[in-house]
Amino acid sequence: MTGATSPGRIEADPGEGSGAAAVEVLVPTRNRPVELATTLAGLAAQDHPFDVVVSDQSDAAASYETEPAQAMIRVLELRGHRVRTRRHLPRRGVVEHRAALLGASTARYVLFLDDDVWLAPGTIALLHEAITELGCGMVGAAMQGLSHLDDERPAEQEPFERWEGAPVPETLHPDTPEWERWRLHNAATPIHLARRHLRAGERRLAYKIAWVAGCVLYDREALVAVGGFDFWRDVPEEAVGEDVVAEQRVMAKFGGAGILPSGAVHLESGTTIPDRPVTADGVLRG
């Protein structure tokens, strides 16, 4: 990190904006040509400088080789975004795939974006604004399932708590009230939370999380400082839950937050990982 004025506080990079984009969007994908094209379409509608890396592990042709995906890549490039596509084989699990993507990036901020998430216009700008102003190690926009708009769940909103001021480092443990914050991101709850808690004239708010899935912006040096996703060597290849490990390690040292309004819409396609026998956080906790 570029200096720290207090534990977990990260200062803005004074050289930011002088070269390549400060934000790089990292998209791991496999066997999702339709969803990937939709995700790229969301990126093409963003008004913010960023570069893109799409890393594909499809069983046959790469998902980015379809005509719709290629069209969106051309739109992105026409708007000034550098787009890199790559095949990353053989497959060694989702944790290793994220580690490889992180290793391919040198940007100050890296946005891990799942291949089944559409971003509303302005989302990347809002996340970048939040992480630079808050000075923390990560911020996330939780995925929202819009088919659940009428399914409001007041009980699952109870763990909600704003960050008043900059997030401070915190260490979370299972079977504690703080761990229950994961419920804040079920169904369409982020939309219901925004309607309830955003104040008049407020552009965004930061709130306390257990973790966020699908759309997470890291200060890259903060993520690297806690080991990134290098723990892929310490978990079985089929392990999932890698975002829980990485985010909580960053939060423990540098602080982190969820951001409302979210702007991340889950496409609600079927998972490409139907069998989830182990989670990385469970393995590493022993």
Side-chain angles (χ1 to χ4, degrees):
M1 270 64 57
T2 309
T5 56
S6 62
R9 179 72 182 178
I10 302 171
E11 295 179 347
D13 186 346
E16 197 170 294
S18 59
V23 176
E24 191 155 43
V25 182
L26 308 179
V27 185
T29 189
R30 175 175 178 252
N31 297 341
R32 274 186 163 161
V34 173
E35 292 85 350
L36 178 63
T38 306
T39 296
L40 293 173
L43 290 176
Q46 300 296 309
D47 264 334
H48 193 78
F50 59 87
D51 296 328
V52 183
V53 181
V54 180
S55 182
D56 190 281
Q57 294 189 321
S58 295
D59 298 327
S63 294
Y64 55 73
E65 292 179 353
T66 66
E67 289 304 323
Q70 287 294 309
M72 290 302 99
I73 288 172
R74 294 184 193 106
V75 172
L76 283 159
E77 292 175 335
L78 186 64
R79 301 196 66 190
H81 305 288
R82 182 178 64 148
V83 181
R84 291 183 286 156
T85 57
R86 50 181 274 173
R87 292 280 268 170
H88 184 65
L89 295 170
R91 293 180 60 240
R92 289 174 285 183
V94 295
V95 190
E96 189 276 340
H97 199 184
R98 291 193 187 273
L101 267 169
L102 180 61
S105 175
T106 58
R108 169 67 194 270
Y109 298 101
V110 290
L111 175 64
F112 275 93
L113 182 66
D114 283 1
D115 62 354
D116 59 350
V117 177
W118 176 86
L119 295 184
T123 300
I124 293 180
L126 194 71
L127 289 170
H128 185 241
E129 171 190 297
I131 200 169
T132 54
E133 291 185 5
L134 295 171
C136 55
M138 56 78 59
V139 295
M143 298 186 297
Q144 306 163 110
L146 299 191
S147 67
H148 296 274
L149 273 177
D150 296 330
D151 177 21
E152 186 155 3
R153 305 178 181 185
E156 295 196 347
Q157 298 179 35
E158 291 179 2
F160 179 84
E161 186 178 356
R162 279 176 173 259
W163 278 113
E164 300 292 353
V168 299
E170 57 175 353
T171 300
L172 305 185
H173 301 283
D175 302 320
T176 64
E178 292 77 15
W179 195 268
E180 294 304 303
R181 297 171 188 162
W182 69 269
R183 299 181 184 278
L184 298 172
H185 302 152
N186 285 340
T189 299
I191 288 180
H192 302 139
L193 288 169
R195 289 173 176 172
R196 181 176 177 182
H197 293 284
L198 270 173
R199 298 164 183 163
E202 191 170 41
R203 174 172 163 78
R204 59 169 167 79
L205 67 84
Y207 65 100
K208 299 180 181 182
I209 57 172
W211 64 84
V212 177
C215 180
V216 182
L217 180 65
Y218 294 94
D219 182 293
R220 184 180 180 279
E221 292 187 18
L223 181 56
V224 170
V226 299
F229 294 92
D230 286 349
F231 58 88
W232 70 269
R233 299 179 180 89
D234 303 318
V235 299
E237 186 175 298
E238 65 271 20
V240 296
E242 72 287 349
D243 43 0
V244 178
V245 176
E247 291 176 44
Q248 290 191 346
R249 287 180 174 180
V250 170
M251 289 193 293
K253 190 169 184 179
F254 302 103
I259 301 299
L260 294 176
S262 164
V265 175
H266 188 217
L267 299 182
E268 302 188 58
S269 297
T271 180
T272 57
I273 311 175
D275 298 318
R276 299 172 179 238
V278 293
T279 62
D281 60 307
V283 170
L284 295 175
R285 281 198 309 271

